[in-house]
Each structure stands twice: as structure tokens, then as C-alpha cells.
Amino acid sequence: EMPLVEIQGKAYPNPAKDALNIDISGLTSHEGCRISITDALGRPCVDRFVRGEGNVLTLGVSGLKSGVYAYRVYDAEKELLSGKFIKE
């Protein structure tokens, strides 16, 4: 049985201007992840598959309006991480 690895991460820079980096420690698969971003009212804004560079996933956010957003990161099986960031 595989040991349960705790996934931790952080989004930076926060506030973000053009790109949001999500650093995920404990990520063993480098196949990529799906990132979903919703606005403060829960409306979907971005849902994209992103391949990471090491443990860092980078997503362009220049098309988003200024405000507070929630992000969720998924691998093929489950949600790995969630959090919030501010778009300048």
C-alpha cells in the first residue's frame, strides 16, 4: 500500500499580474495537473491542463479582471490543493 503523501503548496506572486505560479511540494507525478479558477461568486473563469516545470505550475492570468479568485489543482484522480489569490 502506498503511503499517503501530504500535498502542500502556495500560489505566488500574490497579488498576481500576468502569471500565477503554484508551487506544489509532494507532487510525484510530473504529467501535469488541471487548474480550475473561479471568481469571488463561484463562477468558473479558467479550467486548463497545465504541465509543470518541476513542482511549479504556471498559469497565465492576464485575461482576468482585478479581484479575488479561488484556485483548485487536480491530478488525474482527485483534488490536490486549493487556495485563493488576488489578481491586480
Side-chain angles (χ1 to χ4, degrees), residues 5-63:
V5 176
E6 185 173 336
I7 302 290
Q8 295 181 352
K10 65 178 180 180
Y12 65 92
N14 196 1
K17 196 172 206 170
D18 297 319
L20 180 70
N21 298 302
I22 302 174
D23 187 347
I24 304 176
S25 63
L27 185 65
T28 54
S29 169
H30 296 285
E31 296 298 311
C33 296
R34 185 170 67 90
I35 300 177
S36 170
I37 294 179
T38 55
D39 66 13
L41 298 175
R43 296 179 295 211
C45 300
V46 176
D47 196 337
R48 191 170 299 146
F49 185 81
V50 177
R51 288 194 187 282
E53 192 66 41
N55 287 348
V56 178
L57 304 170
T58 302
L59 181 70
V61 295
S62 60

Side-chain angles (χ1 to χ4, degrees), residues 1 4 13-14 18 20 28-31 43-44 49 54 64-65 68 70 72 76 81-83 85 87:
E1 196 172 302
L4 188 63
N14 196 1
D18 297 319
L20 180 70
T28 54
S29 169
H30 296 285
E31 296 298 311
R43 296 179 295 211
F49 185 81
L64 297 176
K65 294 180 180 173
V68 177
R72 295 183 186 279
L81 182 68
S82 64
F85 72 97
K87 166 65 170 80

